[in-house]
Amino acid sequence: MRTTGSVRRQAAERRRDTLDRLVAERDVWVSTGHPERGPHQVPLWFLWDGQAVWMCTSATSVTARNVREEPRVRLALPDTFDVVLLQGEAECFPDQEVPADAAEAFTAKFGWDPRTEEGPFLYVRVVPKTVLAWRGEQELRGRTIMRDGTWQE
């Protein structure tokens, strides 16, 4: 991560810093909602494949239940100074139906293969439609760096 202190970053630098963090970070806060039960938030390990965020959770978890019912999610990297928020729709893959390249990349990053565990797991893929990124008040203006799935210049 490049630190620019209190200097306002341009869109290209915010995008580069965000992509660097998506590759390097391990955890993401996942916010889901259920029409009857309300909001739910949990941290999960994640993998960035260059286009989408991949996560994995127990197929019986609240997160799995929620994304099956309401696929719209918000993801947040765990830093309140260097904020990165992603919004998109979750696509679900049972552990025995997940694309092999995604499962193998997830296993390589974390040293854990959910496909070998007892009990079913669910891989969740989120392609961001909106990305917001800012460091401090000086970057609130222009914080939307992706809109409708397109990086902003």
Side-chain angles (χ1 to χ4, degrees):
M1 169 174 56
R2 295 170 184 83
T3 303
T4 60
S6 61
V7 176
R8 186 174 190 275
R9 296 172 296 165
Q10 298 301 312
E13 184 178 5
R14 287 187 203 198
R15 177 182 174 182
R16 184 183 63 239
D17 291 347
T18 297
L19 291 170
D20 287 349
R21 287 191 64 206
L22 288 171
V23 170
E25 296 274 349
R26 182 190 71 185
D27 301 312
V28 67
W29 283 96
V30 182
S31 298
T32 62
H34 189 276
E36 296 169 8
R37 295 181 182 96
H40 178 71
Q41 188 175 43
V42 65
L44 291 177
W45 285 347
F46 81 97
L47 167 75
W48 173 252
D49 71 2
Q51 295 182 337
V53 171
W54 285 89
M55 301 159 286
C56 194
T57 187
S58 166
T60 60
S61 71
V62 172
T63 300
R65 178 193 69 208
N66 285 356
V67 296
R68 284 186 191 113
E69 188 75 24
E70 170 53 77
R72 292 178 297 173
V73 299
R74 176 172 269 184
L75 310 174
L77 295 183
D79 187 331
T80 58
F81 174 73
D82 192 4
V83 177
V84 175
L85 300 173
L86 302 93
Q87 290 178 212
E89 290 197 12
E91 184 179 5
C92 299
F93 298 87
D95 56 10
Q96 299 307 312
E97 298 174 21
V98 65
D101 57 340
E104 290 162 13
F106 191 90
T107 299
K109 182 172 182 178
F110 298 108
W112 174 60
D113 188 345
R115 298 170 298 172
T116 64
E117 296 288 335
E118 274 193 45
F121 279 80
L122 185 73
Y123 285 82
V124 178
R125 178 179 187 257
V126 177
V127 176
K129 298 295 181 202
T130 304
V131 178
L132 307 170
W134 72 91
R135 289 184 189 152
E137 183 179 344
Q138 74 278 2
E139 288 193 358
L140 287 175
R141 193 169 139 231
R143 66 185 169 254
T144 302
I145 62 172
M146 177 187 278
R147 181 175 280 120
D148 297 324
T150 302
W151 293 104
Q152 304 298 292
E153 297 300 322

